[in-house]
Amino acid sequence: DIVATQEMFVFGLGPLIDSVEANTASAMMRILGFEFQTCFLESAPAVGQSSGLVVYSKLPIVRAEHHVFSARRAVSCKGWLEVEIELPASDGLPARLMLFNTHLEHAHSQHWRNIREQQWREIVERASG
């Protein structure tokens, strides 16, 4: 009932935005019944690449918040997407699910391994707080 994706990148260059793949994915997911979706444009910078993170859900999304890592590539908005989803009530009590979707840096040199560790620490700190 919930799909978390990465690589739904939107590229910005001033007033120009390339979001063809993200638009196509959004439309396909709606056809499949994933009516509730986070906004793939929300993390798009004026110049550069968005986080590429999107959550599609058949359950209501109550809140969605994009966070950008403090350490990342210069033209990238990689980070995590924090989503609160309303679950069906159990015994008359409302329930919510907190979901974190992320896409860490991918290079394998020691420098980027250190960056990935720092990125994980940011997510853990947020999830623990």
Side-chain angles (χ1 to χ4, degrees):
D1 290 341
I2 302 167
V3 177
T5 62
Q6 300 79 39
E7 305 269 338
M8 292 290 111
F9 294 119
V10 173
F11 297 94
L13 184 57
L16 303 175
I17 299 241
D18 176 6
S19 61
V20 173
E21 288 183 21
N23 280 323
T24 300
S26 176
M28 288 183 350
M29 294 303 281
R30 282 192 199 289
I31 290 168
L32 294 173
F34 292 86
E35 172 185 347
F36 305 97
Q37 304 181 9
T38 59
C39 179
F40 53 81
L41 292 171
E42 194 166 310
S43 69
V47 175
Q49 171 183 294
S50 71
S51 70
L53 305 174
V54 182
V55 171
Y56 306 97
S57 179
K58 293 181 179 180
L59 302 168
I61 294 175
V62 178
R63 184 181 62 82
E65 187 176 335
H66 287 268
H67 300 268
V68 178
F69 291 125
S70 60
R72 64 188 188 285
R73 295 174 195 272
V75 295
S76 169
C77 284
K78 281 194 176 178
W80 71 92
L81 174 57
E82 185 178 322
V83 179
E84 188 173 354
I85 297 171
E86 187 176 310
L87 300 175
S90 174
D91 296 330
L93 300 173
R96 298 219 168 138
L97 169 73
M98 289 300 300
L99 174 77
F100 287 75
N101 184 11
T102 190
H103 189 209
L104 304 175
E105 292 294 348
H106 64 279
H108 299 288
S109 70
Q110 188 59 50
H111 169 75
W112 290 109
R113 286 186 183 123
N114 293 342
I115 296 293
R116 272 195 303 280
E117 182 177 340
Q118 183 178 343
Q119 291 173 341
W120 270 115
R121 289 179 190 276
E122 285 185 56
I123 294 170
V124 169
E125 183 179 320
R126 175 65 182 182
S128 300

